[in-house]
Amino acid sequence: MQRQEFNQLLNDILKPHSIKDFCPNGLQVEGKNKIKKIVTGVTASQALIDAAIDEQADAILVHHGYFWKGESQPITGMKKRRIAALLANDINLFAYHLPLDIHPEIGNNAQLAKLLDIEIQTGLEPVANSVAMKGHLKTPLNGDEFAAKIAKMLNRAPLTSLVRTSKIHTIALCTGGGQGYIDLAAEQGIDAYLTGEASEQTIHSSREQNIDFFAAGHHATERYGIKALGELLAKEYGFEVNFIDIDNPV
Ligand SMILES: [Zn+2]
């Protein structure tokens, strides 16, 4: 498929125009015109670029790309090395941030919920395109049981703050660095909050508002959206897609 046609296809699937974001969504670094072989991954790190070069990929498709609001603009150091490697190998870089978090089927939240048997009902924020979601566990579990389930499914033990004695029925979630939403979940009387990262203050929010908290890893909670997008591109459109997981303990 031609590059522009591929970009349009991704935009049709992920609808980035309706979402305010902190980075450009879509084609971030232009490479060759014809795209057949795609490497997907969570972050466009040097390790992922090197793996894509080894695979002779035409494009890299990620959740965390480049050119974030507030970052230093000059293309120097680490940023220069990454972009130079892409350009030297004529590899396209496509990135989708919030549109990939919130997509109702292949999004990070939707895919994580599916993996952990969470039924999503609606957005946590009272706005259209809420990034955080809320719903319930299909089978109520106590905090320890749910932590064990996360460890098993994500292959990584979560950091927890378990403050309740009864089972978790209702739960809110936001993949990645969504710890700031814990207070909104607590205000709404939700039993538990699940995200990728924790801050020092998150634990006090959990303890003082009686809400169980799980930080299951920014990287670990955001593997599944980009993986599902790649699987869709392979299945429905015949692309050769390889998801490469460059592990990250955070
Ligand atoms: Zn993220």
Side-chain angles (χ1 to χ4, degrees):
M1 192 179 281
Q2 306 277 308
R3 185 198 317 113
Q4 281 316 323
E5 202 186 334
F6 182 64
N7 200 11
Q8 190 56 53
L9 171 65
L10 291 174
N11 286 344
D12 288 347
I13 297 170
L14 292 161
K15 305 184 173 47
H17 310 295
S18 55
I19 298 157
K20 248 190 154 173
D21 211 333
F22 315 100
C23 64
N25 286 298
L27 181 62
Q28 290 192 336
V29 179
E30 186 177 303
K32 64 190 67 167
N33 190 33
K34 237 179 147 192
I35 296 172
K36 166 81 180 159
K37 198 165 184 178
I38 301 163
V39 158
T40 58
V42 178
T43 299
S45 62
Q46 188 69 54
L48 187 73
I49 296 168
D50 292 344
I53 293 169
D54 283 346
E55 298 255 323
Q56 297 183 299
D58 305 313
I60 298 175
L61 178 54
V62 294
H63 179 50
H64 300 139
Y66 303 154
F67 314 119
W68 298 91
K69 242 176 227 168
E71 79 174 23
S72 164
Q73 291 182 340
I75 300 175
T76 56
M78 178 177 87
K79 194 171 180 179
K80 181 250 177 178
R81 289 190 293 276
R82 289 171 169 186
I83 292 171
L86 289 170
L87 294 175
N89 291 278
D90 217 10
I91 297 176
N92 294 281
L93 175 66
F94 294 88
Y96 287 87
H97 182 233
L98 294 182
L100 191 62
D101 285 319
I102 67 177
H103 190 282
E105 282 112 43
I106 57 162
N108 281 322
N109 285 331
Q111 289 291 317
L112 183 68
K114 197 168 140 194
L115 202 64
L116 297 174
D117 295 316
I118 296 167
E119 180 94 48
I120 289 180
Q121 267 137 352
T122 181
L124 179 66
E125 298 164 282
V127 295
N129 288 332
S130 170
V131 181
M133 304 302 292
K134 62 181 174 184
H136 61 265
L137 295 189
K138 286 180 187 163
T139 307
L141 299 172
N142 68 39
D144 286 325
E145 290 168 334
F146 189 56
K149 180 167 193 158
I150 293 170
K152 182 171 163 234
M153 300 312 289
L154 270 55
N155 213 2
R156 179 190 187 286
L159 181 151
T160 61
S161 169
L162 305 180
V163 292
R164 297 165 61 261
T165 47
S166 50
K167 290 194 174 189
I168 298 165
H169 290 258
T170 54
I171 184 164
L173 73 152
C174 179
T175 64
Q179 60 266 52
Y181 289 114
I182 188 174
D183 294 327
L184 190 54
E187 261 170 46
Q188 297 183 24
I190 294 167
D191 298 336
Y193 182 61
L194 164 67
T195 186
E197 294 187 38
S199 300
E200 192 269 353
Q201 69 206 51
T202 320
I203 304 306
H204 300 297
S205 283
S206 161
R207 289 175 183 164
E208 292 175 36
Q209 297 174 105
N210 201 38
I211 178 168
D212 285 338
F213 172 72
F214 303 84
H218 190 135
H219 172 88
T221 57
E222 296 199 323
R223 288 178 194 132
Y224 305 100
I226 199 74
K227 193 161 180 271
L229 175 60
E231 284 162 6
L232 178 110
L233 292 170
K235 192 164 161 257
E236 305 281 328
Y237 302 94
F239 289 99
E240 221 178 291
V241 182
N242 189 6
F243 170 72
I244 297 180
D245 193 31
I246 308 286
D247 196 34
N248 183 329
V250 173

